[in-house]
Amino acid sequence: MLLFGLIGHPLGHSFSKKYFTEKFEREGIDAAYELFDIDDIALLPEVLKDERLIGLNVTIPYKEQVIPFLDALDERAAEIGAVNVIRIVRDGEHILLTGSNSDVVGFRETIRPMLKPHHKKALVLGTGGASKAVIYGLKELNISSTLVSRSPLKDGLTYDQLNEEIMNEYTVIVNASPVGTFPHDDEAPAIPYELVTPDHLLYDLVYNPPLTRFLALGQEKGAAIKNGLEMLEGQAVEAWEIWNR
C-alpha cells in the first residue's frame, strides 16, 4: 500500500485526509492518507522513515520552514518561496525530496471567474507561506498586491493604515491568514469593514466555517465573497498530478 500524508501543527479537521481517502476508495487505489501532527519541522526525518510514504502535503506553519529539508524545488515553488507539496522518490537508502506549490493553481483558478475589470489591486492579509502563493497567483492574473500585517512591513501596510483612499484603490481583499478558522469563528481580520463596497471582492482561504465572519461582514456591504473550499479542491487535484509525474 502506498502512503501519502499531511504535515503541520496543529492538525484538526483535515480536508486533505477526507478528500484523498474518498478518492482512493472511489477509484480503487491501494493507498492511504495519514495526518502527521509534528510540533517541530525537525521531526520530518522521523516521518520519512516509513518507506511506504511517497507524497506529502504541507500546511501551517511549515510551508516555508520545510524548504531547508528538501533536495530540490520546482521552478514555481522556488519563485514563490513556499511549499505545500513534497514528492518523495526512494532509491534504496537514498531519498530525494522535491518541493512544489499547488496552492497557487487552486487559488488562481478559483478567483479568476470572479474578477471584474475594476479589480486591479489586492490587499493580502497575512504574511505566511499561503500569502506568498496568493501574491504569485494574483501576479499571473495581472493584479498587483500589497501585504497587510499587524506589524510594520518594509513593502506593506499595517491594518491601522487601511484608510478610505486605500480601500477604494484595493478592491480585492484576500485573507491568507488563519484568522476566523473554527473554533475561533467569531474572529475576523481587522480591516475597516465600513469601507467595504459592492465593488469589492473578498476571498477567504479559510473554509471552516464556510461563511467566516470576514466574508459575512463583506457580504453585508454587498461585496462578492468566496471561501477557500474550491481552492483546496483545486490544489489537491494539482498535488495528485505532482505526485504521479
Side-chain angles (χ1 to χ4, degrees), residues 22-55:
E22 291 177 354
K23 175 182 176 67
F24 298 154
E25 291 175 356
R26 183 175 63 249
E27 300 180 17
I29 299 171
D30 186 21
Y33 193 99
E34 293 185 8
L35 301 181
F36 300 100
D37 190 331
I38 54 176
D39 60 10
D40 191 318
I41 192 59
L43 296 172
L44 177 60
E46 286 296 313
V47 174
L48 294 170
K49 285 182 179 179
D50 191 323
E51 295 182 356
R52 300 172 299 159
L53 189 63
I54 62 169

PDB file of all heavy atoms in Angstrom, residues 22-55:
ATOM      1  N   GLU A  22     -11.426   9.423   0.307  1.00  0.00           N
ATOM      2  CA  GLU A  22     -12.590   9.177  -0.551  1.00  0.00           C
ATOM      3  C   GLU A  22     -12.161   8.891  -1.992  1.00  0.00           C
ATOM      4  O   GLU A  22     -12.744   8.025  -2.662  1.00  0.00           O
ATOM      5  CB  GLU A  22     -13.548  10.364  -0.499  1.00  0.00           C
ATOM      6  CG  GLU A  22     -14.248  10.509   0.849  1.00  0.00           C
ATOM      7  CD  GLU A  22     -15.143  11.728   0.925  1.00  0.00           C
ATOM      8  OE1 GLU A  22     -15.136  12.543  -0.048  1.00  0.00           O
ATOM      9  OE2 GLU A  22     -15.853  11.882   1.933  1.00  0.00           O
ATOM     10  N   LYS A  23     -11.146   9.599  -2.461  1.00  0.00           N
ATOM     11  CA  LYS A  23     -10.645   9.382  -3.821  1.00  0.00           C
ATOM     12  C   LYS A  23     -10.097   7.959  -3.967  1.00  0.00           C
ATOM     13  O   LYS A  23     -10.398   7.266  -4.955  1.00  0.00           O
ATOM     14  CB  LYS A  23      -9.538  10.396  -4.138  1.00  0.00           C
ATOM     15  CG  LYS A  23      -8.852  10.201  -5.494  1.00  0.00           C
ATOM     16  CD  LYS A  23      -7.740  11.219  -5.685  1.00  0.00           C
ATOM     17  CE  LYS A  23      -6.975  10.985  -6.976  1.00  0.00           C
ATOM     18  NZ  LYS A  23      -7.803  11.244  -8.175  1.00  0.00           N
ATOM     19  N   PHE A  24      -9.298   7.525  -2.999  1.00  0.00           N
ATOM     20  CA  PHE A  24      -8.706   6.191  -3.070  1.00  0.00           C
ATOM     21  C   PHE A  24      -9.788   5.106  -3.059  1.00  0.00           C
ATOM     22  O   PHE A  24      -9.708   4.130  -3.817  1.00  0.00           O
ATOM     23  CB  PHE A  24      -7.731   5.980  -1.911  1.00  0.00           C
ATOM     24  CG  PHE A  24      -6.549   6.933  -1.909  1.00  0.00           C
ATOM     25  CD1 PHE A  24      -5.894   7.240  -0.714  1.00  0.00           C
ATOM     26  CD2 PHE A  24      -6.104   7.527  -3.079  1.00  0.00           C
ATOM     27  CE1 PHE A  24      -4.814   8.116  -0.707  1.00  0.00           C
ATOM     28  CE2 PHE A  24      -5.022   8.402  -3.083  1.00  0.00           C
ATOM     29  CZ  PHE A  24      -4.381   8.697  -1.893  1.00  0.00           C
ATOM     30  N   GLU A  25     -10.793   5.283  -2.213  1.00  0.00           N
ATOM     31  CA  GLU A  25     -11.881   4.311  -2.146  1.00  0.00           C
ATOM     32  C   GLU A  25     -12.688   4.309  -3.437  1.00  0.00           C
ATOM     33  O   GLU A  25     -13.031   3.244  -3.972  1.00  0.00           O
ATOM     34  CB  GLU A  25     -12.786   4.626  -0.947  1.00  0.00           C
ATOM     35  CG  GLU A  25     -12.127   4.380   0.405  1.00  0.00           C
ATOM     36  CD  GLU A  25     -12.997   4.813   1.561  1.00  0.00           C
ATOM     37  OE1 GLU A  25     -14.085   5.386   1.311  1.00  0.00           O
ATOM     38  OE2 GLU A  25     -12.595   4.587   2.724  1.00  0.00           O
ATOM     39  N   ARG A  26     -12.996   5.477  -3.949  1.00  0.00           N
ATOM     40  CA  ARG A  26     -13.829   5.612  -5.152  1.00  0.00           C
ATOM     41  C   ARG A  26     -13.136   5.054  -6.386  1.00  0.00           C
ATOM     42  O   ARG A  26     -13.770   4.416  -7.237  1.00  0.00           O
ATOM     43  CB  ARG A  26     -14.162   7.088  -5.351  1.00  0.00           C
ATOM     44  CG  ARG A  26     -15.090   7.379  -6.521  1.00  0.00           C
ATOM     45  CD  ARG A  26     -15.454   8.856  -6.562  1.00  0.00           C
ATOM     46  NE  ARG A  26     -14.313   9.724  -6.786  1.00  0.00           N
ATOM     47  CZ  ARG A  26     -13.800  10.545  -5.892  1.00  0.00           C
ATOM     48  NH1 ARG A  26     -14.301  10.604  -4.660  1.00  0.00           N
ATOM     49  NH2 ARG A  26     -12.757  11.319  -6.179  1.00  0.00           N
ATOM     50  N   GLU A  27     -11.818   5.257  -6.481  1.00  0.00           N
ATOM     51  CA  GLU A  27     -11.080   4.868  -7.682  1.00  0.00           C
ATOM     52  C   GLU A  27     -10.327   3.558  -7.518  1.00  0.00           C
ATOM     53  O   GLU A  27      -9.604   3.137  -8.431  1.00  0.00           O
ATOM     54  CB  GLU A  27     -10.128   5.997  -8.076  1.00  0.00           C
ATOM     55  CG  GLU A  27     -10.853   7.307  -8.386  1.00  0.00           C
ATOM     56  CD  GLU A  27      -9.922   8.440  -8.767  1.00  0.00           C
ATOM     57  OE1 GLU A  27      -8.750   8.166  -9.109  1.00  0.00           O
ATOM     58  OE2 GLU A  27     -10.366   9.608  -8.729  1.00  0.00           O
ATOM     59  N   GLY A  28     -10.507   2.898  -6.381  1.00  0.00           N
ATOM     60  CA  GLY A  28      -9.860   1.600  -6.160  1.00  0.00           C
ATOM     61  C   GLY A  28      -8.347   1.678  -6.114  1.00  0.00           C
ATOM     62  O   GLY A  28      -7.653   0.765  -6.567  1.00  0.00           O
ATOM     63  N   ILE A  29      -7.824   2.767  -5.567  1.00  0.00           N
ATOM     64  CA  ILE A  29      -6.370   2.952  -5.453  1.00  0.00           C
ATOM     65  C   ILE A  29      -5.896   2.373  -4.120  1.00  0.00           C
ATOM     66  O   ILE A  29      -6.442   2.690  -3.065  1.00  0.00           O
ATOM     67  CB  ILE A  29      -6.012   4.443  -5.544  1.00  0.00           C
ATOM     68  CG1 ILE A  29      -6.454   5.013  -6.904  1.00  0.00           C
ATOM     69  CG2 ILE A  29      -4.511   4.652  -5.335  1.00  0.00           C
ATOM     70  CD1 ILE A  29      -6.348   6.530  -7.005  1.00  0.00           C
ATOM     71  N   ASP A  30      -4.887   1.522  -4.174  1.00  0.00           N
ATOM     72  CA  ASP A  30      -4.368   0.878  -2.958  1.00  0.00           C
ATOM     73  C   ASP A  30      -3.428   1.851  -2.246  1.00  0.00           C
ATOM     74  O   ASP A  30      -2.202   1.770  -2.365  1.00  0.00           O
ATOM     75  CB  ASP A  30      -3.633  -0.416  -3.317  1.00  0.00           C
ATOM     76  CG  ASP A  30      -3.207  -1.208  -2.071  1.00  0.00           C
ATOM     77  OD1 ASP A  30      -3.802  -0.977  -0.991  1.00  0.00           O
ATOM     78  OD2 ASP A  30      -2.286  -2.031  -2.191  1.00  0.00           O
ATOM     79  N   ALA A  31      -4.013   2.791  -1.530  1.00  0.00           N
ATOM     80  CA  ALA A  31      -3.228   3.831  -0.863  1.00  0.00           C
ATOM     81  C   ALA A  31      -3.983   4.333   0.360  1.00  0.00           C
ATOM     82  O   ALA A  31      -5.191   4.128   0.495  1.00  0.00           O
ATOM     83  CB  ALA A  31      -2.944   4.986  -1.822  1.00  0.00           C
ATOM     84  N   ALA A  32      -3.249   4.989   1.250  1.00  0.00           N
ATOM     85  CA  ALA A  32      -3.843   5.592   2.442  1.00  0.00           C
ATOM     86  C   ALA A  32      -3.282   6.999   2.615  1.00  0.00           C
ATOM     87  O   ALA A  32      -2.236   7.341   2.049  1.00  0.00           O
ATOM     88  CB  ALA A  32      -3.532   4.747   3.673  1.00  0.00           C
ATOM     89  N   TYR A  33      -4.005   7.807   3.392  1.00  0.00           N
ATOM     90  CA  TYR A  33      -3.588   9.183   3.661  1.00  0.00           C
ATOM     91  C   TYR A  33      -3.645   9.400   5.165  1.00  0.00           C
ATOM     92  O   TYR A  33      -4.678   9.185   5.792  1.00  0.00           O
ATOM     93  CB  TYR A  33      -4.522  10.169   2.951  1.00  0.00           C
ATOM     94  CG  TYR A  33      -4.002  11.588   2.909  1.00  0.00           C
ATOM     95  CD1 TYR A  33      -3.370  12.083   1.773  1.00  0.00           C
ATOM     96  CD2 TYR A  33      -4.151  12.445   4.001  1.00  0.00           C
ATOM     97  CE1 TYR A  33      -2.903  13.395   1.728  1.00  0.00           C
ATOM     98  CE2 TYR A  33      -3.684  13.748   3.966  1.00  0.00           C
ATOM     99  CZ  TYR A  33      -3.054  14.220   2.830  1.00  0.00           C
ATOM    100  OH  TYR A  33      -2.587  15.512   2.780  1.00  0.00           O
ATOM    101  N   GLU A  34      -2.507   9.799   5.750  1.00  0.00           N
ATOM    102  CA  GLU A  34      -2.428   9.962   7.201  1.00  0.00           C
ATOM    103  C   GLU A  34      -2.048  11.396   7.573  1.00  0.00           C
ATOM    104  O   GLU A  34      -1.445  12.127   6.775  1.00  0.00           O
ATOM    105  CB  GLU A  34      -1.394   8.991   7.791  1.00  0.00           C
ATOM    106  CG  GLU A  34      -1.785   7.527   7.672  1.00  0.00           C
ATOM    107  CD  GLU A  34      -0.807   6.611   8.383  1.00  0.00           C
ATOM    108  OE1 GLU A  34       0.100   7.127   9.092  1.00  0.00           O
ATOM    109  OE2 GLU A  34      -0.920   5.390   8.220  1.00  0.00           O
ATOM    110  N   LEU A  35      -2.395  11.757   8.794  1.00  0.00           N
ATOM    111  CA  LEU A  35      -2.030  13.061   9.336  1.00  0.00           C
ATOM    112  C   LEU A  35      -0.798  12.919  10.224  1.00  0.00           C
ATOM    113  O   LEU A  35      -0.758  12.054  11.097  1.00  0.00           O
ATOM    114  CB  LEU A  35      -3.188  13.649  10.149  1.00  0.00           C
ATOM    115  CG  LEU A  35      -4.505  13.849   9.410  1.00  0.00           C
ATOM    116  CD1 LEU A  35      -5.537  14.459  10.354  1.00  0.00           C
ATOM    117  CD2 LEU A  35      -4.322  14.725   8.177  1.00  0.00           C
ATOM    118  N   PHE A  36       0.198  13.764   9.994  1.00  0.00           N
ATOM    119  CA  PHE A  36       1.420  13.762  10.797  1.00  0.00           C
ATOM    120  C   PHE A  36       1.509  15.111  11.512  1.00  0.00           C
ATOM    121  O   PHE A  36       2.036  16.084  10.972  1.00  0.00           O
ATOM    122  CB  PHE A  36       2.647  13.524   9.921  1.00  0.00           C
ATOM    123  CG  PHE A  36       2.625  12.208   9.180  1.00  0.00           C
ATOM    124  CD1 PHE A  36       2.244  12.163   7.841  1.00  0.00           C
ATOM    125  CD2 PHE A  36       2.960  11.032   9.819  1.00  0.00           C
ATOM    126  CE1 PHE A  36       2.218  10.968   7.158  1.00  0.00           C
ATOM    127  CE2 PHE A  36       2.939   9.824   9.142  1.00  0.00           C
ATOM    128  CZ  PHE A  36       2.563   9.787   7.811  1.00  0.00           C
ATOM    129  N   ASP A  37       0.958  15.154  12.711  1.00  0.00           N
ATOM    130  CA  ASP A  37       0.954  16.375  13.514  1.00  0.00           C
ATOM    131  C   ASP A  37       2.282  16.454  14.253  1.00  0.00           C
ATOM    132  O   ASP A  37       2.479  15.788  15.272  1.00  0.00           O
ATOM    133  CB  ASP A  37      -0.217  16.364  14.491  1.00  0.00           C
ATOM    134  CG  ASP A  37      -0.419  17.714  15.181  1.00  0.00           C
ATOM    135  OD1 ASP A  37       0.573  18.447  15.362  1.00  0.00           O
ATOM    136  OD2 ASP A  37      -1.560  18.024  15.545  1.00  0.00           O
ATOM    137  N   ILE A  38       3.212  17.246  13.726  1.00  0.00           N
ATOM    138  CA  ILE A  38       4.540  17.371  14.338  1.00  0.00           C
ATOM    139  C   ILE A  38       4.714  18.795  14.867  1.00  0.00           C
ATOM    140  O   ILE A  38       4.404  19.763  14.174  1.00  0.00           O
ATOM    141  CB  ILE A  38       5.673  16.999  13.353  1.00  0.00           C
ATOM    142  CG1 ILE A  38       5.576  17.797  12.047  1.00  0.00           C
ATOM    143  CG2 ILE A  38       5.641  15.506  13.050  1.00  0.00           C
ATOM    144  CD1 ILE A  38       6.725  17.550  11.073  1.00  0.00           C
ATOM    145  N   ASP A  39       5.194  18.905  16.098  1.00  0.00           N
ATOM    146  CA  ASP A  39       5.307  20.238  16.709  1.00  0.00           C
ATOM    147  C   ASP A  39       6.641  20.920  16.419  1.00  0.00           C
ATOM    148  O   ASP A  39       6.920  22.001  16.923  1.00  0.00           O
ATOM    149  CB  ASP A  39       5.054  20.170  18.215  1.00  0.00           C
ATOM    150  CG  ASP A  39       6.032  19.281  18.953  1.00  0.00           C
ATOM    151  OD1 ASP A  39       7.040  18.854  18.342  1.00  0.00           O
ATOM    152  OD2 ASP A  39       5.796  19.000  20.144  1.00  0.00           O
ATOM    153  N   ASP A  40       7.456  20.284  15.563  1.00  0.00           N
ATOM    154  CA  ASP A  40       8.734  20.867  15.148  1.00  0.00           C
ATOM    155  C   ASP A  40       9.080  20.278  13.785  1.00  0.00           C
ATOM    156  O   ASP A  40       9.025  19.056  13.604  1.00  0.00           O
ATOM    157  CB  ASP A  40       9.835  20.541  16.166  1.00  0.00           C
ATOM    158  CG  ASP A  40      11.103  21.338  15.931  1.00  0.00           C
ATOM    159  OD1 ASP A  40      11.504  21.501  14.765  1.00  0.00           O
ATOM    160  OD2 ASP A  40      11.701  21.815  16.924  1.00  0.00           O
ATOM    161  N   ILE A  41       9.446  21.122  12.826  1.00  0.00           N
ATOM    162  CA  ILE A  41       9.760  20.625  11.485  1.00  0.00           C
ATOM    163  C   ILE A  41      10.982  19.708  11.512  1.00  0.00           C
ATOM    164  O   ILE A  41      11.172  18.885  10.601  1.00  0.00           O
ATOM    165  CB  ILE A  41       9.984  21.804  10.509  1.00  0.00           C
ATOM    166  CG1 ILE A  41      10.023  21.314   9.052  1.00  0.00           C
ATOM    167  CG2 ILE A  41      11.236  22.582  10.861  1.00  0.00           C
ATOM    168  CD1 ILE A  41       8.785  20.613   8.583  1.00  0.00           C
ATOM    169  N   ALA A  42      11.787  19.795  12.554  1.00  0.00           N
ATOM    170  CA  ALA A  42      12.955  18.916  12.680  1.00  0.00           C
ATOM    171  C   ALA A  42      12.548  17.450  12.820  1.00  0.00           C
ATOM    172  O   ALA A  42      13.388  16.549  12.681  1.00  0.00           O
ATOM    173  CB  ALA A  42      13.804  19.335  13.885  1.00  0.00           C
ATOM    174  N   LEU A  43      11.265  17.189  13.079  1.00  0.00           N
ATOM    175  CA  LEU A  43      10.772  15.816  13.187  1.00  0.00           C
ATOM    176  C   LEU A  43      10.424  15.209  11.830  1.00  0.00           C
ATOM    177  O   LEU A  43      10.036  14.036  11.753  1.00  0.00           O
ATOM    178  CB  LEU A  43       9.542  15.769  14.098  1.00  0.00           C
ATOM    179  CG  LEU A  43       9.788  16.166  15.555  1.00  0.00           C
ATOM    180  CD1 LEU A  43       8.464  16.272  16.312  1.00  0.00           C
ATOM    181  CD2 LEU A  43      10.700  15.158  16.233  1.00  0.00           C
ATOM    182  N   LEU A  44      10.557  15.977  10.751  1.00  0.00           N
ATOM    183  CA  LEU A  44      10.238  15.461   9.421  1.00  0.00           C
ATOM    184  C   LEU A  44      11.002  14.180   9.075  1.00  0.00           C
ATOM    185  O   LEU A  44      10.396  13.237   8.539  1.00  0.00           O
ATOM    186  CB  LEU A  44      10.500  16.535   8.366  1.00  0.00           C
ATOM    187  CG  LEU A  44      10.286  16.119   6.909  1.00  0.00           C
ATOM    188  CD1 LEU A  44       8.850  15.676   6.665  1.00  0.00           C
ATOM    189  CD2 LEU A  44      10.673  17.248   5.959  1.00  0.00           C
ATOM    190  N   PRO A  45      12.318  14.081   9.357  1.00  0.00           N
ATOM    191  CA  PRO A  45      13.025  12.830   9.034  1.00  0.00           C
ATOM    192  C   PRO A  45      12.404  11.588   9.686  1.00  0.00           C
ATOM    193  O   PRO A  45      12.448  10.496   9.107  1.00  0.00           O
ATOM    194  CB  PRO A  45      14.444  13.089   9.565  1.00  0.00           C
ATOM    195  CG  PRO A  45      14.604  14.574   9.469  1.00  0.00           C
ATOM    196  CD  PRO A  45      13.263  15.122   9.834  1.00  0.00           C
ATOM    197  N   GLU A  46      11.815  11.741  10.872  1.00  0.00           N
ATOM    198  CA  GLU A  46      11.140  10.613  11.516  1.00  0.00           C
ATOM    199  C   GLU A  46       9.932  10.167  10.702  1.00  0.00           C
ATOM    200  O   GLU A  46       9.677   8.974  10.533  1.00  0.00           O
ATOM    201  CB  GLU A  46      10.707  10.998  12.939  1.00  0.00           C
ATOM    202  CG  GLU A  46      11.840  11.084  13.942  1.00  0.00           C
ATOM    203  CD  GLU A  46      12.517   9.735  14.152  1.00  0.00           C
ATOM    204  OE1 GLU A  46      11.794   8.725  14.343  1.00  0.00           O
ATOM    205  OE2 GLU A  46      13.760   9.690  14.106  1.00  0.00           O
ATOM    206  N   VAL A  47       9.184  11.149  10.195  1.00  0.00           N
ATOM    207  CA  VAL A  47       8.018  10.842   9.360  1.00  0.00           C
ATOM    208  C   VAL A  47       8.446  10.084   8.107  1.00  0.00           C
ATOM    209  O   VAL A  47       7.798   9.127   7.678  1.00  0.00           O
ATOM    210  CB  VAL A  47       7.276  12.145   8.973  1.00  0.00           C
ATOM    211  CG1 VAL A  47       6.152  11.862   7.987  1.00  0.00           C
ATOM    212  CG2 VAL A  47       6.743  12.842  10.223  1.00  0.00           C
ATOM    213  N   LEU A  48       9.572  10.479   7.534  1.00  0.00           N
ATOM    214  CA  LEU A  48      10.029   9.914   6.270  1.00  0.00           C
ATOM    215  C   LEU A  48      10.569   8.491   6.396  1.00  0.00           C
ATOM    216  O   LEU A  48      10.814   7.832   5.380  1.00  0.00           O
ATOM    217  CB  LEU A  48      11.116  10.815   5.671  1.00  0.00           C
ATOM    218  CG  LEU A  48      10.659  12.218   5.245  1.00  0.00           C
ATOM    219  CD1 LEU A  48      11.864  13.082   4.914  1.00  0.00           C
ATOM    220  CD2 LEU A  48       9.717  12.136   4.058  1.00  0.00           C
ATOM    221  N   LYS A  49      10.725   7.999   7.606  1.00  0.00           N
ATOM    222  CA  LYS A  49      11.241   6.640   7.801  1.00  0.00           C
ATOM    223  C   LYS A  49      10.279   5.567   7.297  1.00  0.00           C
ATOM    224  O   LYS A  49      10.692   4.449   7.013  1.00  0.00           O
ATOM    225  CB  LYS A  49      11.565   6.409   9.280  1.00  0.00           C
ATOM    226  CG  LYS A  49      12.831   7.103   9.744  1.00  0.00           C
ATOM    227  CD  LYS A  49      13.142   6.806  11.195  1.00  0.00           C
ATOM    228  CE  LYS A  49      14.433   7.485  11.642  1.00  0.00           C
ATOM    229  NZ  LYS A  49      14.734   7.228  13.083  1.00  0.00           N
ATOM    230  N   ASP A  50       8.996   5.915   7.188  1.00  0.00           N
ATOM    231  CA  ASP A  50       8.023   4.954   6.664  1.00  0.00           C
ATOM    232  C   ASP A  50       8.237   4.829   5.157  1.00  0.00           C
ATOM    233  O   ASP A  50       7.973   5.755   4.398  1.00  0.00           O
ATOM    234  CB  ASP A  50       6.593   5.423   6.955  1.00  0.00           C
ATOM    235  CG  ASP A  50       5.556   4.347   6.681  1.00  0.00           C
ATOM    236  OD1 ASP A  50       5.732   3.578   5.707  1.00  0.00           O
ATOM    237  OD2 ASP A  50       4.565   4.265   7.427  1.00  0.00           O
ATOM    238  N   GLU A  51       8.730   3.690   4.710  1.00  0.00           N
ATOM    239  CA  GLU A  51       9.118   3.504   3.314  1.00  0.00           C
ATOM    240  C   GLU A  51       7.940   3.488   2.348  1.00  0.00           C
ATOM    241  O   GLU A  51       8.125   3.545   1.131  1.00  0.00           O
ATOM    242  CB  GLU A  51       9.943   2.219   3.175  1.00  0.00           C
ATOM    243  CG  GLU A  51      11.272   2.289   3.916  1.00  0.00           C
ATOM    244  CD  GLU A  51      12.110   1.034   3.725  1.00  0.00           C
ATOM    245  OE1 GLU A  51      11.620   0.085   3.073  1.00  0.00           O
ATOM    246  OE2 GLU A  51      13.250   1.019   4.215  1.00  0.00           O
ATOM    247  N   ARG A  52       6.722   3.412   2.877  1.00  0.00           N
ATOM    248  CA  ARG A  52       5.537   3.458   2.002  1.00  0.00           C
ATOM    249  C   ARG A  52       5.230   4.884   1.564  1.00  0.00           C
ATOM    250  O   ARG A  52       4.497   5.097   0.604  1.00  0.00           O
ATOM    251  CB  ARG A  52       4.316   2.890   2.729  1.00  0.00           C
ATOM    252  CG  ARG A  52       4.432   1.451   3.191  1.00  0.00           C
ATOM    253  CD  ARG A  52       3.224   1.098   4.053  1.00  0.00           C
ATOM    254  NE  ARG A  52       3.158   1.959   5.236  1.00  0.00           N
ATOM    255  CZ  ARG A  52       2.036   2.177   5.943  1.00  0.00           C
ATOM    256  NH1 ARG A  52       0.901   1.596   5.588  1.00  0.00           N
ATOM    257  NH2 ARG A  52       2.057   2.980   7.005  1.00  0.00           N
ATOM    258  N   LEU A  53       5.779   5.860   2.270  1.00  0.00           N
ATOM    259  CA  LEU A  53       5.426   7.257   2.065  1.00  0.00           C
ATOM    260  C   LEU A  53       6.067   7.818   0.798  1.00  0.00           C
ATOM    261  O   LEU A  53       7.293   7.857   0.679  1.00  0.00           O
ATOM    262  CB  LEU A  53       5.868   8.073   3.284  1.00  0.00           C
ATOM    263  CG  LEU A  53       5.401   9.526   3.366  1.00  0.00           C
ATOM    264  CD1 LEU A  53       3.883   9.602   3.466  1.00  0.00           C
ATOM    265  CD2 LEU A  53       6.038  10.206   4.588  1.00  0.00           C
ATOM    266  N   ILE A  54       5.229   8.277  -0.158  1.00  0.00           N
ATOM    267  CA  ILE A  54       5.761   8.810  -1.416  1.00  0.00           C
ATOM    268  C   ILE A  54       5.270  10.224  -1.724  1.00  0.00           C
ATOM    269  O   ILE A  54       5.664  10.801  -2.737  1.00  0.00           O
ATOM    270  CB  ILE A  54       5.444   7.878  -2.604  1.00  0.00           C
ATOM    271  CG1 ILE A  54       3.937   7.744  -2.815  1.00  0.00           C
ATOM    272  CG2 ILE A  54       6.091   6.520  -2.417  1.00  0.00           C
ATOM    273  CD1 ILE A  54       3.578   7.060  -4.131  1.00  0.00           C
ATOM    274  N   GLY A  55       4.416  10.778  -0.860  1.00  0.00           N
ATOM    275  CA  GLY A  55       3.945  12.136  -1.112  1.00  0.00           C
ATOM    276  C   GLY A  55       3.421  12.789   0.145  1.00  0.00           C
ATOM    277  O   GLY A  55       2.733  12.147   0.941  1.00  0.00           O
TER     278      GLY A  55
END
